[in-house]
Amino acid sequence: MNIHEYQAKQLLAQYGVNVPFEIPAKSLAEVRPAAEKIAASGSAKVVVKSQIHAGGRGKGTFKSGFQGGVKVTSSVDEAVEVAGKMFGQTLVTKQTGAEGRQVQTLLLAAGAKIKKEFYLAVLLNRETSRPLIMASTEGGMDIEEVAEKHPEKICKETIDPAVGIMPYQARKVAAALGLKGDLFNAGVKLITGVYNTWWECDAAMVELNPLAVVELADGKETVMALDAKISLDDNALYRHKNIMEMRDLNEEAPLEIEASKFALNYIKLDGSIACLVNGAGLAMATMDIVQHFGAMPANFLDVGGGASKDQVTAAFKIILSDPNVKGILVNIFGGIMDCNVIATGIVAAVKETGLKLPLVVRLEGNNVAAGKKTLAESGVAIINGDTMSDAAQKIVKAVGK
Amino acid sequence: MAILVTPQTKVLVQGITGSFGAKHAQLSIDYGTLIVAGVTPGKGGQFFEHGGKKVPIFDTVAEAVKQSGATASAVFVPPPFAADAILEGADAGLELVVAITEGIPVRDMVRVKRAMQGNTKTRLIGPNCPGLVTPGEGKDSHGGCRIGIAPGYIHKKGNIGVVSRSGTLTYEAVWQLTSRGVGQSTCVGIGGDPVNGTSHLDVIKLFNADPETTGIIMIGEIGGSAEEEAAEWIKANCKKPVAGFIAGATAPPGRRMGHAGAIVSGGKGTAEAKIAAFKAAGIGVAVTPSEMADTLLKMM
């Protein structure tokens, strides 16, 4: 699960990470009072930041034509004016895809005089099965590009989960960022806090880009998280009720939300062949074989190991809500599940949804003969696929007609 | 010989009284696997009865091991308690702990891996895996050792080793082999999570050293770099033909495809890179998942 920047900073602040003074606004009416508080705090600038679950906001464009999802304004009035051009509008960035995301929350923040920008992240290193802190002096840049072109500019520190982050490790990272004096000590505290946020919140990734040295109104310098992104381990959400409440359904595809209600794992894609499969690996492989034979999959859909009739019916309805779908490929390897139960579910779903599109079903496994008989005698138009290859070719051909 | 388990391996089931654990304990008993004990804290002294067999239930794994002589366990304990169950199995000195449970938090597995570091006695397989099967000699491979949730009857005793992160895709490969009359030595599902106990490479090394295994099917998917590591080792060391398939060429970057570990992030873990590593190592790459068995058989 992903959360918004303002929510990420709320979590980070709980673990002692220094963040700018900022206030989220969930309606246009909340913008002016928030901007006034920011101005009253002594900040000459008010930053208005669109809150969507995608990067590249600053360089994004609204569908209205307004440029930039993040704006630095010089007055409360200007902040309110800019907010009016962002609120409720759809922002398109390099990460949102062409459809963009509707902005429903704005973050108003005190403007910071940036002296230097860094990159800091905590993530799981799959090779060592241990947490890894990654830091770079090249802040505000695409870290993957830095990793490729200047790997020497990235500092990596592996944490032993038995003891957690040790102070010397935070000092190593702070030193690698070139922090000195008071900033060094502030950096150590911040780095430790970022790691602790990752560990305590069961995050998959915590990323500050940029982490910055900023000059305060009194001329003093400090380090703070100017931007923050946190994604959480879905499997651990059960022990974080406060974080679960941060879920924003507006950021999720409606069909994916509907699928999750039936414990179906569905991801919408751009192709025309809908796939209904049991098991994640087989579901991916089914998408791949559709592409191999010249069409594109419309979705990833794993109905799980013990799919019920209700789940199969729900799956069909979800698939059919996608207007791009021109044909359906069902691929079930019923190892333990009874293929006849699945076949009965498919027939019921076809009848209930009044399916008109071509449907190829490939069944294999337990009680498969009875399952195939049920499909054949059902009176509904189902094309039988014998192997994955046969089934994929048949659906591609049927749709191509 | 097979690897990891034989039909003589004595198996206990952690979480035997839960619905999922009970169902698969029954199926393993039906398959002819030696299920010798169950563990459910608080139900020690009771029995799990199925097919005329009475399997004693214990409160602790240590007690179950002592009384039954089990050397392997299947963990069906729900996610919040699974890390504890795995480490209890290791503490009891089991040789093999197979964690079937799906949905264990990554942080829990990071701690489990750390706690098991240096433990040379216990091997962990999984979590979030279908388990493993060493087929038996009876009808539909009856009499083999089945730990986990794989359908036993699709197997056939023979000489091909299968290793995969996925469940149903493994069954697909096994079924392709069996329908062509080709049997398997052992089939191992290592699981779809980003932190797991046993890697592709660990299993490949065991197959390479097993005199009964003459060919290997390795099935991978997007995410991480375990397939690349295995491929590198195979190139330099493996004496046996290996064929493989990588699932997820059509998966969009940044999205988790069902398995927690199946994600392309930051341009890493793509199907293209893994397929290239396979080819560079002389591994036969099945162009479609329908051709996993045929690709290997052509090499043998």
Side-chain angles (χ1 to χ4, degrees):
Chain A
M1 185 181 93
N2 293 321
I3 57 176
H4 288 295
E5 173 195 359
Y6 78 94
Q7 295 165 324
K9 285 174 171 168
Q10 286 169 1
L11 290 177
L12 285 161
Q14 285 171 24
Y15 294 94
V17 175
N18 196 16
V19 299
F21 177 55
E22 42 186 38
I23 303 166
K26 300 206 173 200
S27 69
L28 211 44
E30 289 174 33
V31 171
R32 183 172 289 276
E36 281 168 352
K37 277 183 199 157
I38 303 284
S41 75
S43 175
K45 306 277 183 190
V46 179
V47 187
V48 185
K49 306 178 91 174
S50 301
Q51 299 293 288
I52 57 169
H53 290 182
R57 293 169 298 166
K59 288 178 185 157
T61 304
F62 287 90
K63 284 192 172 171
S64 62
F66 187 69
Q67 292 286 327
V70 175
K71 289 280 188 190
V72 180
T73 67
S74 304
S75 69
V76 171
D77 285 342
E78 193 191 347
V80 173
E81 189 197 330
V82 164
K85 289 176 179 161
M86 295 182 179
F87 227 109
Q89 300 295 322
T90 302
L91 179 60
V92 179
T93 79
K94 60 176 183 178
Q95 288 185 14
T96 61
E99 69 274 22
R101 298 278 174 83
Q102 196 186 22
V103 176
Q104 298 186 324
T105 304
L106 291 172
L107 182 61
L108 294 132
K113 195 169 176 189
I114 300 170
K115 307 295 279 190
K116 184 125 185 45
E117 293 184 311
F118 308 111
Y119 174 92
L120 179 70
V122 184
L123 65 161
L124 170 75
N125 180 349
R126 288 174 66 159
E127 279 151 50
T128 59
S129 297
R130 291 184 178 204
L132 179 72
I133 298 179
M134 272 177 66
S136 168
T137 50
E138 305 298 296
M141 296 198 20
D142 182 2
I143 193 67
E144 284 135 28
E145 205 180 307
V146 178
E148 196 174 307
K149 290 181 183 159
H150 300 285
E152 77 284 355
K153 287 186 175 169
I154 295 182
C155 148
K156 292 182 180 178
E157 188 67 22
T158 298
I159 308 299
D160 182 342
V163 289
I165 187 169
M166 295 304 285
Y168 79 87
Q169 295 185 295
R171 293 198 295 272
K172 271 170 81 180
V173 176
L177 293 177
L179 297 170
K180 303 281 181 201
D182 288 348
L183 290 177
F184 179 86
N185 291 329
V188 168
K189 179 170 180 265
L190 182 141
I191 291 157
T192 306
V194 171
Y195 175 79
N196 287 335
T197 306
W198 186 87
W199 180 262
E200 295 297 332
C201 296
D202 278 295
M205 167 102 149
V206 176
E207 186 178 58
L208 310 189
N209 194 17
L211 157 68
V213 173
V214 299
E215 189 183 306
L216 302 172
D218 59 7
K220 280 189 188 157
E221 290 186 351
T222 187
V223 286
M224 57 172 53
L226 283 194
D227 195 3
K229 192 171 141 188
I230 294 183
S231 60
L232 288 315
D233 175 4
D234 291 347
N235 289 342
L237 285 174
Y238 73 88
R239 55 190 176 203
H240 301 284
K241 294 240 163 20
N242 61 324
I243 298 175
M244 224 187 307
E245 283 166 10
M246 293 179 174
R247 183 176 176 188
D248 184 352
L249 292 177
N250 293 318
E251 291 287 334
E252 298 175 26
L255 286 180
E256 291 174 18
I257 298 168
E258 184 65 18
S260 68
K261 289 180 195 160
F262 294 91
L264 298 168
N265 208 328
Y266 171 89
I267 295 172
K268 191 184 170 316
L269 303 170
D270 299 329
S272 59
I273 310 282
C275 304
L276 191 163
V277 190
N278 66 330
L282 194 62
M284 275 188 273
T286 305
M287 287 160 47
D288 296 345
I289 201 169
V290 164
Q291 186 191 39
H292 178 78
F293 287 112
M296 287 303 284
N299 62 273
F300 168 91
L301 174 55
D302 171 13
V303 296
S308 65
K309 179 177 161 289
D310 287 349
Q311 276 180 307
V312 173
T313 308
F316 266 89
K317 285 182 182 164
I318 287 160
I319 283 172
L320 292 172
S321 322
D322 175 355
N324 296 332
V325 170
K326 295 193 170 63
I328 301 175
L329 171 57
V330 175
N331 183 18
I332 301 285
F333 198 104
I336 305 292
M337 337 196 248
D338 186 334
C339 283
N340 198 28
V341 172
I342 295 291
T344 310
I346 293 169
V347 170
V350 169
K351 286 182 176 164
E352 198 177 323
T353 55
L355 181 72
K356 299 278 186 296
L357 300 173
L359 168 65
V360 174
V361 177
R362 185 268 179 147
L363 278 182
E364 192 57 82
N366 188 15
N367 205 16
V368 65
K372 286 190 173 180
K373 190 160 175 267
T374 298
L375 294 180
E377 290 172 358
S378 65
V380 298
I382 294 173
I383 306 166
N384 176 55
D386 284 327
T387 63
M388 279 179 79
S389 172
D390 180 49
Q393 290 179 68
K394 280 177 174 162
I395 190 64
V396 171
K397 194 174 165 219
V399 166
K401 276 193 291 203
Chain B
M1 257 306 290
I3 64 165
L4 298 163
V5 291
T6 70
Q8 288 74 45
T9 301
K10 290 180 179 172
V11 180
L12 67 84
V13 176
Q14 292 173 257
I16 198 167
T17 53
S19 60
F20 195 42
K23 177 182 168 187
H24 287 285
Q26 289 171 357
L27 288 167
S28 284
I29 290 169
D30 292 343
Y31 190 61
T33 301
L34 299 177
I35 301 291
V36 296
V39 175
T40 300
K43 293 195 176 169
Q46 299 180 19
F47 288 89
F48 178 82
E49 297 188 40
H50 178 71
K53 298 244 165 38
K54 274 180 87 173
V55 179
I57 300 174
F58 300 89
D59 287 319
T60 68
V61 178
E63 213 183 332
V65 166
K66 195 174 161 198
Q67 299 295 330
S68 70
T71 57
S73 91
V75 175
F76 285 97
V77 172
F81 319 107
D84 177 50
I86 292 167
L87 290 180
E88 187 185 2
D91 174 72
L94 288 167
E95 290 168 22
L96 188 66
V97 173
V98 183
I100 307 304
T101 310
E102 177 177 3
I104 304 177
V106 167
R107 192 178 79 187
D108 293 8
M109 284 312 302
V110 165
R111 294 173 73 208
V112 165
K113 272 284 260 207
R114 179 64 180 86
M116 289 182 73
Q117 190 180 317
N119 179 337
T120 51
K121 175 138 201 210
T122 306
R123 170 183 293 284
L124 170 66
I125 291 182
N128 188 15
C129 78
L132 69 165
V133 175
T134 290
E137 292 181 15
K139 183 176 182 287
D140 294 335
S141 75
H142 187 271
C145 181
R146 169 189 184 270
I147 301 181
I149 59 174
Y153 70 92
I154 62 169
H155 296 80
K156 174 183 163 69
K157 187 174 165 52
N159 305 100
I160 305 300
V162 179
V163 56
S164 165
R165 281 205 249 171
S166 146
T168 41
L169 196 51
T170 312
Y171 313 158
E172 177 75 37
V174 169
W175 184 243
Q176 285 176 19
L177 288 167
T178 299
S179 2
R180 284 157 180 75
V182 180
Q184 306 89 39
S185 52
T186 302
C187 303
V188 186
I190 58 172
D193 275 6
V195 177
N196 58 15
T198 294
S199 67
H200 280 101
L201 177 54
D202 296 332
V203 179
I204 295 284
K205 283 179 180 172
L206 295 171
F207 280 139
N208 193 44
D210 172 34
E212 204 178 294
T213 301
T214 55
I216 301 165
I217 291 183
M218 170 164 66
I219 304 166
E221 62 191 35
I222 53 165
S225 57
E227 290 85 353
E228 286 91 326
E229 281 161 34
E232 206 165 300
W233 188 90
I234 286 168
K235 189 179 181 181
N237 304 289
C238 193
K239 304 178 296 238
K240 301 172 183 181
V242 183
F245 177 75
I246 300 289
T250 45
R255 297 298 307 263
R256 272 172 220 285
M257 307 304 286
H259 288 154
I263 179 167
V264 172
S265 54
K268 297 269 172 62
T270 63
E272 291 76 5
K274 289 172 192 290
I275 290 167
F278 273 21
K279 285 184 175 162
I283 298 168
V285 176
V287 182
T288 75
S290 262
E291 293 152 66
M292 293 186 283
D294 289 338
T295 304
L296 178 68
L297 296 177
K298 269 183 212 153
M299 296 170 73
M300 294 182 68

